[in-house]
Amino acid sequence: MGMKIITENIGPLKGRFYLDLNSPVTVLAGDTGTGKSFLLRILQLLISELAESLDVSRLEDKLCEEFGSIESIISTGEEEGRVTLEYNGETIADVLHHRLLGDGSSAHGKQITVNKWRGGIAPYSDLAKRSIIIPDARIAIARMVMEEGHVSRLSPSEGIYAEFLCSLRNNNDWSLNESLEALRREGVLLKAGRSCFNKGIIEGLDSRVQSGAVFAFLSLAPAIKILHEGRAFLVAVDTIETQITPFLQGVIAVNLARWAKMGWKNKESPAPLLLVTHSSTVLAALSKEIEEGVDDRAVYVKERVEKSDVRTVVLYREDGEVKWGISEGIAMPAYLREYIRLI
């Protein structure tokens, strides 16, 4: 049950591919260029459009704006690509993408054909509106805390939050621990304590580098909120491993997974977590969590994640094509196993 994503000949993923989000945590792992972020971008666009009634021209325009052209979405050498979204066994979106003919025309009249669309219809529109997809946290970490629209979602008290952001923007000196303590009191960091940053791993770094670590928590606060409350198709996060220390990479991944487990356990319509990564640190932290639990004050969610709560979908290259495999628990891609062996 829950969300299922099925693609045929989309981007690097030739042939049929599917992601079945029927567990609290699904990890999508793979090397650069295997289609992880590509898949998340098209998923983000379709789910955002599902909040509204179908407008084919608008959908086509947004696809072209995001990918440059409809042809860019279709796998090389194929005439058409397809994306199908299912929820609880019902097809809620089925979109075909057609390549132009040699004369610039389309055999289908338009470059996309929508066979099924349940957008704008409750409960699907509400589930779509509450879904959070962060396709590139390298950008989102800064953007989400800077955009005014997210201030109320992060904290009802804008005074300390605004003062904190002003310090970062102006690159003024500020005390990391004092700022974190104030933010924690105001609820911005939810239950995250300042112990997350008391490991000595970022002492001596300037405020810009330190702020990157704080951004990681602040930008993911809306995702944690939806994991906790449910009533969404999914929460998807890509690239949490950029510009933060390995310790914090693991802390964020384990906390997110535990929030997903807790929400899955307690809610009638839980929001599954789709965690997209190529980081050996993130995968190693989740693997340790499954095998023995991560015992650290910085992991502040009590609900431990077990093997049955996690599925890993690994994308890999073989004979020049991207292929994929599924396993229960955490599976370390071959290229990362070789990297770990070498270091």
Side-chain angles (χ1 to χ4, degrees), residues 2 12 29 84 88 91 102 127 130 143 158 201 246 266 268 271 340:
T84 305
N88 289 345
T91 300
L127 291 167
R130 288 179 57 81
R143 177 182 295 166
E158 299 182 19
I201 52 175
N266 299 330
E268 292 182 4
I340 292 171

Side-chain angles (χ1 to χ4, degrees), residues 6 24 30 64 79 84 88 104 139 152 226 235 275 280 282 291 335:
I6 307 165
C64 288
E79 294 302 315
T84 305
N88 289 345
I139 298 173
S152 61
I226 298 302
V235 170
L275 187 59
S280 59
V282 169
E291 292 172 4
Y335 76 94

Side-chain angles (χ1 to χ4, degrees), residues 236-267:
V237 180
D238 186 8
T239 324
I240 64 172
E241 59 266 15
T242 301
Q243 295 181 354
I244 58 176
T245 63
F247 168 75
L248 285 174
Q249 294 177 32
V251 164
I252 293 171
V254 173
N255 276 319
L256 281 174
R258 289 193 176 193
W259 271 113
K261 167 71 178 289
M262 187 165 62
W264 194 274
K265 182 178 179 180
N266 299 330
K267 302 295 181 294

Side-chain angles (χ1 to χ4, degrees), residues 213-231:
V214 182
F215 279 164
F217 274 108
L218 294 180
S219 65
L220 296 178
I224 292 172
K225 174 181 171 66
I226 298 302
L227 288 173
H228 177 59
E229 295 178 351
R231 303 190 308 280

Side-chain angles (χ1 to χ4, degrees), residues 87-246:
Y87 186 71
N88 289 345
E90 179 180 1
T91 300
I92 58 174
D94 186 20
V95 181
L96 282 166
H97 308 77
H98 311 289
R99 194 176 295 280
L100 290 173
L101 300 176
D103 60 1
S105 64
S106 171
H108 301 270
K110 292 186 176 182
Q111 279 204 271
I112 64 170
T113 301
V114 181
N115 295 327
K116 189 73 176 285
W117 191 264
R118 300 288 286 171
I121 302 172
Y124 306 115
S125 58
D126 296 329
L127 291 167
K129 289 175 183 177
R130 288 179 57 81
S131 297
I132 291 183
I133 299 178
I134 308 174
D136 192 341
R138 290 169 291 190
I139 298 173
I141 281 173
R143 177 182 295 166
M144 289 183 71
V145 295
M146 293 299 183
E147 286 183 358
E148 184 179 351
H150 287 283
V151 171
S152 61
R153 299 180 68 178
L154 286 167
S155 172
S157 176
E158 299 182 19
I160 290 181
Y161 181 75
E163 182 180 338
F164 175 71
L165 288 183
C166 183
S167 296
L168 295 184
R169 288 177 180 139
N170 296 331
N171 197 28
N172 294 334
D173 291 335
W174 51 280
S175 167
L176 179 62
N177 283 334
E178 286 181 9
S179 298
L180 288 172
E181 183 64 24
L183 292 167
R184 185 188 64 78
R185 287 197 306 268
E186 294 300 316
V188 176
L189 290 183
L190 303 179
K191 295 181 180 179
R194 56 187 254 181
S195 63
C196 301
F197 301 88
N198 285 346
K199 299 294 179 179
I201 52 175
I202 53 177
E203 290 180 3
L205 300 181
D206 62 36
S207 60
R208 280 190 180 275
V209 178
Q210 291 176 345
S211 69
V214 182
F215 279 164
F217 274 108
L218 294 180
S219 65
L220 296 178
I224 292 172
K225 174 181 171 66
I226 298 302
L227 288 173
H228 177 59
E229 295 178 351
R231 303 190 308 280
F233 284 134
L234 79 162
V235 170
V237 180
D238 186 8
T239 324
I240 64 172
E241 59 266 15
T242 301
Q243 295 181 354
I244 58 176
T245 63

